[in-house]
Structures are given as structure tokens and as C-alpha cells.
Amino acid sequence: MKYMSAEPFRIKVVEPIKKTTKEERLGWLREANYNAFKLRAENVYVDCLTDSGTSAMSTNQWAAMMTGDESYAGCKSFYNLEESVRDVFGMEMVQPTHQGRAADYIMASIYCEPGKYAVGNMHFDTFRGNAEVMGAYPVDYVIKEGLDTSSGEHPFKGNIDIDKFQKLIDEKGADQICVVIITVTCNNNGGQPVSMANIKAVSELAKKHKIPVVIDSARLAENAYFIKTREEGYEDKSIKEITREMFSYCETATMSSKKDGLVNIGGLFVTRNEDIFLKANQLAIVHEGFITYGGMSGRDMEALAVGLQEVCDVQYLEYRVNQVKYLGDRLKEQGVPIVEPTGGHGVYVDGRRFFPHIPQHEFPSQRLVCALYEEAGVRAVELGACAFGSKDPETGDPIWPALETMRISVSRRVYTNNHLDVIAEALGDIYKNRDSYKGMKLVYEGPIVSLRHFTAGFELL
Ligand code: F0G
């Protein structure tokens, strides 16, 4: 029933956004060297660059913020957050951080060892970067279906390929693998979920070989909702029963709370291992702040404590996941090639299938990002040749990634389906005229290739 997935909230405060002309947008795009990261946000009509830190907070979150305790040590807001985290994660030891990548840094510092492998489904960039700095080799072992954008059959395209993991153990030895990280949902291939069966199987194999398991849980509730609706045996379980079971299979979890925390800033490092916790506390003191705030203000911890509870509301999740699917369905109706099934936090358009005449080295998905902004003032993000491309360390030859997509991230509780219709209509029009678009040339990339998408400059061909 359609009304079941309509918004379980009403709008109390509105934030005006600006409609602009195509001429204005073409000028701003040129000034930004055709890189959407360099556009001024006020010149964007619907901002789908990311779902991170962009959520709308509820009346209860804003009310909780007023009660924030800003004491340096032992503030009440920390204990409120700790209680909420324990309830959702089922783990006792909670170290706040200022955002997800700080938790990644602490986690990589503790678990990564030089010359050893860090296995994952698809590591998020900030962990990958931290792991590489520590001298470890991050490897992506998502199942092969996870890299096939044309098939929508598999319900859990974020799963780890157990056979590949086993093969690495057999070939290199378990002592050469320092950690396994399961990212839920898997951001890099479409916000695709990981099944409970897979989390359990990965954890059992890792445990057998004494390899620690970490869950990168930025989108933990969306993953739990997919388990509830797609995996046998979970339909009658509550979201929290599912999240607690997910985390029962790991030693430590990191979280960017800017996603499923329903807040604008914050992160978490949560563990059940006391030695690990003590190390995390010390790293937090040096890099983040004292143990009971770790880079967050008291009011931000209050908002997160409430947000973590709200995100586990099944009515909210039903609305959320169905809103993303709504956009996917509108695009599919017009033949736009997307990653299927739609994931938790956005719709990913396949750049290669959208612009088959633009080769990957001419950045088809980046061209699509620019076309969408030109057409409708909508900002999406490239996750393809620019963001995931790399270079052979010896020859300097470019290495092109397996996936070539444009991610249209949907912020939580922010846009209406009318906004999503604007996106669908604009992309439909671009798709009709797809033959008239040419590729792009990368003219500037900045000093660190793996971070070039933030600073790159392009020219139109
Ligand atoms: N882990 C995952 C799975 C993420 O998606 C992100 C951020 C992080 C860690 C890092 O967290 O931003 O709080 O420091 N993803 C954002 C995105 C930036 O757009 O997907 P952070």
C-alpha cells in the first residue's frame, strides 16, 4: 500500500532553495572547472552530492540539543549517547569521534599492520587511505554480482566473496591478514546491503583463523531494514534485534554518524574488547578530544543519541528505502540504466551504459554529473574513472575501475518526491539526447591521485 511508505513526519521548518537559469549554471560550472565539488551550494537546487551530514533533524533532536552538557569530562550528554549506542549496537564500550574518518583512523592505527592485508567488501576511501598510510594492503572482495550493474537479481550485492577470502588465507596464510572490514551498506557499489548469513559466515571464517572483524556501520539501519525485508527468518524481528545480531559477529564497529545517525556531524568507535578500547581512548585523547566527547560537543552527542533511536523506527525506514526506490523506478521507466536493485541511500546511474560512446578515459559519469547540473541545477557525484581511478605505481599507467557510476544520493528526511521527479525528468531528457554529449578531459588532478575527485579540473571535449 502506497500510503504505508509515505513520510512518517510533517514539515515544521522550511529552508528556501534557489531556482536558477541554465545560462547561470553553465557559467558556474565553467568557474568550477566542471567539478561539482567546487560549486557553491547556494547555486544548487537539489543537492544529491552526498547523504552525509545532510539529514534534517527532528523536533526531538533539536529539543535534546538544548540540554547538551558541555562539561569537558564526564558530561551527561556522553552518558546519554553511550546508553543509546549500547541499545542499538549491543556493545558496551563507546568512544565518540568528530566524524567517521576519525574512527577509521583510530581503527586503522590499531588493526592495520605494514605489509598485511585488510579484507573488505569494498573499503570506503577514508579507511583505504588510512590503511595505506599504515602500510597495509586493503583488498576489495565483494561478490561478483556486486560489480554487475545490469543484473538486479541478487538481494545482497554487498556480500563478501567467502571463497576469495578463503583463497587469500590459503595462499598467504591467515597471519598475513590483519583485519576484515564489512561495510554496511556497501557504499561504493550502490548502497547494497550485506546479508546476516554473509556477516555470520565471514565472521566464523575469520574467528577460526583469529582474524578480527570490524563493521563499518555508517548505514547500519538501512542494512538492517534490507535484512528484515529480504532475508528469510528476519521478517518478524525488530530493527534493533537485527542490528544487535549484526554486531554480535564483530569485535569493533566504526560509524560515520553523519548518515544513519540522522545528524550533521559525529562519529563512533564501538568495541567489546577492553584492550582495544583503551588504545582507542588514548588515540582519541591525542587526536580528537577527551574520552567522553572525542571531538563532539555535548549538544551534538544529544542529537545523535536521539537520532540513533529514530533511525531504527521501521516506519521511517520503510519511507526512506521506498523513496530511494521511487527515484529508481522513475528513471527505469525512461530507460535510464541504473544499478539494480536500488540500494539504501541513493540511485547509481551506470555511466558506461548511459553514454556508451564515451570511453572510460573520457569520464562518462563525470560528464553526466555536469549535464544534470546544467539541465536542472541538481548536483550528484561521480564514482567512476575520476574518483576510483588510480595509477600503476611503477609505470604510472592509469588503472580504470570496474564500476563507472554517478551516485544520486538522497538526503534523509530532506527532499520530497516532487524534487525527485525533477531529477528523473531531467535525466530522462538528457538520456533522449545522449548522442549529442561528448566526453571530458582531466586537466588538473592535485597532488594525491586517490583524492583527485575533490580537486580535479576538467575541460569539455
Ligand atoms: N565509511 C563509509 C561507508 C562512508 O560512506 C563514509 C563517508 C565514511 C566511512 C567516512 O565518514 O565522512 O563522517 O568522515 N561517506 C561520505 C559519502 C563522505 O559521501 O559517501 P565521514
Side-chain angles (χ1 to χ4, degrees), residues 23-43:
E23 286 63 41
E24 286 175 320
R25 295 194 291 272
L26 282 169
W28 291 320
L29 257 187
R30 261 194 307 273
E31 280 171 23
N33 302 112
Y34 300 96
N35 181 343
F37 280 100
K38 295 199 213 163
L39 290 169
R40 280 181 184 237
E42 63 173 336
N43 296 332

Side-chain angles (χ1 to χ4, degrees), residues 50 99-101 124 126 183 187 216 219 256 258-259 407:
T50 179
Q99 64 181 81
R101 64 200 67 189
F124 187 69
T126 51
T183 300
N187 184 8
D216 176 342
R219 299 173 180 89
S256 164
K258 299 172 73 173
K259 286 82 169 171
R407 180 182 74 176

Side-chain angles (χ1 to χ4, degrees), residues 182-210:
I182 310 171
T183 300
V184 299
T185 57
C186 186
N187 184 8
N188 290 10
N189 72 342
Q192 298 293 326
V194 184
S195 70
M196 193 71 89
N198 190 255
I199 296 175
K200 191 169 173 211
V202 168
S203 160
E204 278 169 1
L205 182 56
K207 204 175 211 167
K208 195 168 127 199
H209 295 280
K210 299 195 168 57

Side-chain angles (χ1 to χ4, degrees), residues 70-335:
E70 306 301 344
S71 309
Y72 189 92
C75 66
K76 181 170 64 58
S77 305
F78 168 75
Y79 294 107
N80 288 342
L81 175 61
E82 186 185 56
E83 192 186 335
S84 183
V85 173
R86 285 176 173 171
D87 180 40
V88 173
F89 286 70
M91 289 197 274
E92 284 298 300
M93 289 170 257
V94 182
Q95 172 63 62
T97 61
H98 80 276
Q99 64 181 81
R101 64 200 67 189
D104 284 344
Y105 166 76
I106 292 175
M107 188 256 283
S109 307
I110 294 173
Y111 287 104
C112 286
E113 292 174 53
K116 296 196 178 178
Y117 294 87
V119 170
N121 40 359
M122 292 182 91
H123 294 296
F124 187 69
D125 338 1
T126 51
F127 168 74
R128 180 183 300 282
N130 276 306
E132 282 173 354
V133 170
M134 307 293 160
Y137 304 124
V139 288
D140 286 352
Y141 282 172
V142 73
I143 54 170
K144 65 177 186 322
E145 291 86 344
L147 299 175
D148 178 0
T149 65
S150 58
S151 152
E153 306 279 291
H154 202 293
F156 291 102
K157 286 169 91 172
N159 282 358
I160 288 187
D161 187 328
I162 303 277
D163 293 340
K164 275 195 182 164
F165 180 23
Q166 178 70 61
K167 200 161 162 246
L168 188 74
I169 295 173
D170 295 342
E171 283 176 4
K172 303 284 177 186
D175 61 343
Q176 292 306 302
I177 303 167
C178 52
V179 63
V180 181
I181 295 154
I182 310 171
T183 300
V184 299
T185 57
C186 186
N187 184 8
N188 290 10
N189 72 342
Q192 298 293 326
V194 184
S195 70
M196 193 71 89
N198 190 255
I199 296 175
K200 191 169 173 211
V202 168
S203 160
E204 278 169 1
L205 182 56
K207 204 175 211 167
K208 195 168 127 199
H209 295 280
K210 299 195 168 57
I211 303 167
V213 176
V214 173
I215 298 186
D216 176 342
S217 54
R219 299 173 180 89
L220 75 160
E222 288 165 8
N223 201 81
Y225 182 76
F226 283 121
I227 289 176
K228 183 174 170 72
T229 51
R230 292 184 186 170
E231 192 164 351
E232 221 185 301
Y234 290 92
E235 53 277 50
D236 296 326
K237 295 217 188 290
S238 72
I239 295 297
K240 283 186 200 166
E241 280 172 324
I242 297 173
T243 54
R244 287 180 207 134
E245 183 180 338
M246 275 161 43
F247 294 113
S248 72
Y249 300 119
C250 70
E251 176 173 84
T252 291
T254 56
M255 182 182 190
S256 164
S257 38
K258 299 172 73 173
K259 286 82 169 171
D260 270 352
L262 297 178
V263 290
N264 307 117
I265 196 73
L268 293 168
F269 181 98
V270 191
T271 185
R272 51 169 48 86
N273 178 324
E274 196 170 359
D275 290 339
I276 299 283
F277 186 55
L278 294 175
K279 285 185 196 160
N281 293 158
Q282 298 211 317
L283 284 163
I285 292 172
V286 184
H287 295 281
E288 293 290 292
F290 185 65
I291 301 165
T292 57
Y293 76 89
M296 290 182 78
S297 63
R299 55 181 173 271
D300 285 329
M301 289 193 281
E302 293 286 355
L304 177 55
V306 177
L308 278 174
Q309 296 297 317
E310 289 182 355
V311 84
C312 292
D313 172 6
V314 75
Q315 289 188 5
Y316 157 75
L317 285 166
E318 183 169 8
Y319 140 76
R320 163 73 179 158
V321 166
N322 277 295
Q323 190 183 36
V324 172
K325 183 173 179 299
Y326 172 83
L327 175 59
D329 289 345
R330 295 287 81 75
L331 291 174
K332 274 197 297 179
E333 279 164 15
Q334 306 180 81

Side-chain angles (χ1 to χ4, degrees), residues 2 20 50 92 101 243 304 347 351 358 374 382 387 397 458:
K2 210 169 166 194
T20 54
T50 179
E92 284 298 300
R101 64 200 67 189
T243 54
L304 177 55
V347 177
I358 302 182
E374 260 164 55
E382 191 251 26
D397 290 344
F458 294 90

